[in-house]
Amino acid sequence: MRNTKRRPKRDNKASEDYISRVLAELQSHPSKLATLHDNCQFYQQQQFLKKGFQRAIEHMQWVLAVDKDVNRICTQIMADDYIGIRLRKYPLLFKGIIQNQD
């Protein structure tokens, strides 16, 4: 018989904090949108990616192509629609935007 205990849901608090720090950094330094675009290019060239991550990259590229306004891009990332949820699910897209202060 299988173990029927359910695992507790992961705490998304750390992920939400990270995304909010990334968005604050993007709003204070709009030039870091280039890093976001570079991340999309880098991960798109990887040979083996999960389909969900591939779709998230496509969605991020659509968001970046449609609008150059940082505030509207941040609003789209934080939206509770399909695209916003998909983008927040993969924090690797935002790698390198927040620099360590060490």
Side-chain angles (χ1 to χ4, degrees):
M1 189 164 158
R2 290 185 351 189
N3 186 358
T4 57
K5 286 185 181 179
R6 290 186 179 225
R7 289 188 214 166
K9 284 192 170 190
R10 281 194 279 170
D11 183 21
N12 289 334
K13 181 77 171 137
S15 179
E16 290 173 6
D17 289 343
Y18 177 73
I19 297 296
S20 64
R21 287 186 298 155
V22 164
L23 296 181
E25 185 72 20
L26 282 175
Q27 288 176 339
S28 62
H29 302 287
S31 61
K32 292 193 176 188
L33 284 176
T35 303
L36 197 54
H37 188 278
D38 293 343
N39 287 345
C40 289
Q41 294 295 329
F42 174 76
Y43 289 117
Q44 194 172 37
Q45 293 174 4
Q46 301 301 313
Q47 188 174 6
F48 300 106
L49 286 180
K50 290 183 176 182
K51 219 171 226 195
F53 193 34
Q54 290 173 351
R55 294 290 295 167
I57 292 169
E58 289 174 13
H59 291 310
M60 181 60 77
Q61 289 174 332
W62 293 343
V63 168
L64 294 174
V66 168
D67 202 352
K68 301 295 182 210
D69 183 30
V70 176
N71 292 325
R72 286 192 288 241
I73 291 172
C74 292
T75 302
Q76 180 61 47
I77 292 170
M78 289 307 294
D80 284 333
D81 60 358
Y82 178 78
I83 292 175
I85 293 169
R86 174 76 56 191
L87 295 177
R88 290 191 307 270
K89 188 176 181 180
Y90 296 99
L92 265 179
L93 288 172
F94 306 105
K95 181 179 176 181
I97 292 176
I98 298 176
Q99 301 298 327
N100 291 336
Q101 304 296 335
D102 297 338

